[in-house]
Amino acid sequence: MIIFGTRGYLYQLAMLTLVCGNCGNPSAHSLRKYVTKFTLFFVPLFPFSTKFRTQCTFCGLEQQITKDQAEGLLAQPVAPQQAYGQQPQPGQMQGQNPYQQ
């Protein structure tokens, strides 16, 4: 007797601030990767389906995107955040890494 089937895995790749296409609010969107793997005797062997989706945390809309779109969202530069009320150091431009030569 051979036992085989599938199992789904969910990976959260990033939290991005985007404007939602449904509600129009600039809100956090989670970028998720859904992978379905073939299993033999409950051991996952190889993936046969991979999907990428974003979900708006404001209205809950979930949209499927392509792999290229997901990689593009992950490759976007992230602006460094300063603590509220903190002023930049003298001689340091805003957004510049002080350890970078």
Side-chain angles (χ1 to χ4, degrees):
M1 179 158 108
I2 297 176
I3 300 173
F4 65 93
T6 62
R7 180 165 182 191
Y9 295 88
L10 171 66
Y11 303 100
Q12 181 154 338
L13 302 177
M15 287 297 286
L16 307 165
T17 302
L18 304 170
V19 177
C20 181
N22 185 43
C23 63
N25 291 314
S27 61
H29 285 69
S30 59
L31 177 60
R32 298 177 178 162
K33 178 180 178 179
Y34 294 88
V35 179
T36 305
K37 294 184 178 181
F38 177 78
T39 60
L40 183 64
F41 292 106
F42 307 105
V43 177
L45 295 178
F46 58 88
F48 69 88
S49 173
T50 302
K51 296 178 183 178
F52 294 90
R53 295 182 180 162
T54 59
Q55 184 176 18
C56 177
T57 57
F58 192 81
C59 68
L61 177 72
E62 192 168 353
Q63 293 180 329
Q64 187 167 336
I65 60 174
T66 65
K67 181 180 179 181
D68 294 333
Q69 290 172 330
E71 289 173 353
L73 288 172
L74 286 173
Q76 287 180 353
V78 177
Q81 298 179 358
Q82 292 185 353
Y84 180 73
Q86 182 182 7
Q87 297 295 323
Q89 298 287 334
Q92 177 185 356
M93 292 176 34
Q94 195 170 10
Q96 183 180 12
N97 187 351
Y99 302 106
Q100 186 178 9
Q101 294 289 340

